[in-house]
């Protein structure tokens, strides 16, 4: 079995080979499937992410839904993620560690109110295991939101037969791809 480092490298190369317009098309398909989930329709407070170029694209989805639901986005603070509400494009600034867009405004501390978390990943498997970028940001955050449904989003090629896991890894309740 390939190492986590090898899997990350292979996924990076696969994602790099997909043109942005194709990523946007595939992402729209993934995110439409998220919209159809009962967990999404029911949820009032949803934790999403502001996508980087190599992830399932979420910007259009965030814009489409922020007026109807409380949408939270993660902000990197040291070794942790803090949550802030997305209130429109004017609230976004470039994050200090990775340059990812992050909302300004007060920190959202009511983690018990989060009903659905849409999670990016480097790769997933059919058991709901997730491989992230290796810093553990999401695993720590997901442990603090035990009642929220956890939905991984990925392109079809990011689904693997098996991902090596560690005791601290948090499984997804489901993984959505374009197919």
């Amino acid at each position: 079995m390939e190492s986590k480092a090898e899997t990350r490298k292979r996924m990076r190369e696969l994602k790099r080979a997909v043109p942005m317009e194709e990523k946007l098309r595939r992402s729209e398909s993934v995110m439409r499937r998220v919209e159809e989930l009962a967990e999404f329709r029911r949820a009032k407070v949803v934790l999403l992410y502001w996508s980087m170029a190599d992830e399932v694209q979420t910007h259009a989805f965030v814009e489409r839904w922020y007026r109807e639901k409380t949408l939270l986005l993660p902000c990197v603070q040291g070794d942790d993620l803090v949550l802030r509400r997305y209130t429109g494009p004017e609230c976004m600034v470039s994050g200090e560690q990775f340059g990812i867009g992050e909302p300004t405004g007060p920190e959202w501390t009511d983690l018990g109110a989060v009903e659905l978390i849409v999670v990016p990943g480097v790769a997933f498997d059919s058991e709901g295991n997730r491989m992230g970028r290796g810093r553990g940001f999401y695993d720590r955050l997901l442990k603090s939101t035990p009642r929220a449904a956890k939905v991984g989003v990925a392109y079809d090629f990011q689904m693997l037969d098996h991902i090596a896991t560690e005791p601290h890894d948090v499984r997804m309740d489901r993984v959505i791809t374009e197919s």
Side-chain angles (χ1 to χ4, degrees):
M1 182 184 336
E2 70 184 357
S3 70
K4 284 187 172 187
E6 290 166 333
T7 301
R8 286 188 180 102
K9 182 179 190 294
R10 186 165 59 88
M11 287 296 134
R12 212 173 17 255
E13 290 166 1
L14 287 169
K15 289 189 282 188
R16 200 176 290 136
V18 180
M20 182 49 86
E21 63 187 36
E22 178 69 10
K23 284 183 188 139
L24 288 167
R25 191 185 63 70
R26 290 180 184 197
S27 296
E28 186 62 25
S29 174
V30 172
M31 298 311 291
R32 287 283 178 202
R33 295 187 76 203
V34 169
E35 287 172 337
E36 293 167 8
L37 295 175
E39 297 93 329
F40 177 76
R41 288 198 303 266
R42 239 189 340 260
K44 291 175 178 55
V45 180
V46 178
L47 171 56
L48 284 154
Y49 64 95
W50 194 253
S51 51
M52 297 195 298
D54 67 340
E55 295 173 322
V56 169
Q57 297 296 294
T58 59
H59 300 185
F61 185 88
V62 169
E63 284 299 314
R64 193 159 55 238
W65 285 101
Y66 83 93
R67 290 178 191 89
E68 294 178 49
K69 295 179 180 285
T70 297
L71 297 187
L72 305 174
L73 298 177
C75 305
V76 177
Q77 201 166 69
D79 288 332
D80 292 306
L81 295 176
V82 298
L83 310 181
R84 292 195 174 92
R85 185 173 185 173
Y86 180 86
T87 56
E90 66 287 342
C91 80
M92 297 298 281
V93 296
S94 184
E96 45 192 78
Q97 274 195 46
F98 302 103
I100 304 166
E102 297 180 351
T104 55
E107 185 178 332
W108 181 280
T109 55
D110 186 4
L111 298 182
V114 179
E115 297 162 278
L116 174 67
I117 304 174
V118 177
V119 187
V122 170
F124 296 89
D125 69 17
S126 61
E127 304 291 308
N129 293 309
R130 171 187 172 273
M131 180 185 293
R133 295 180 190 266
R135 300 266 309 264
F137 287 112
Y138 269 97
D139 290 313
R140 287 189 293 280
L141 176 64
L142 294 172
K143 281 188 172 76
S144 64
T145 54
R147 72 176 270 264
K150 296 158 186 65
V151 175
V153 291
Y155 302 119
D156 286 337
F157 63 80
Q158 291 176 272
M159 289 301 294
L160 305 179
D161 290 336
H162 179 74
I163 289 178
T165 59
E166 304 191 22
H168 65 267
D169 292 338
V170 176
R171 272 191 179 158
M172 300 294 100
D173 296 313
R174 66 174 72 200
V175 180
I176 305 288
T177 68
E178 67 260 39
S179 66

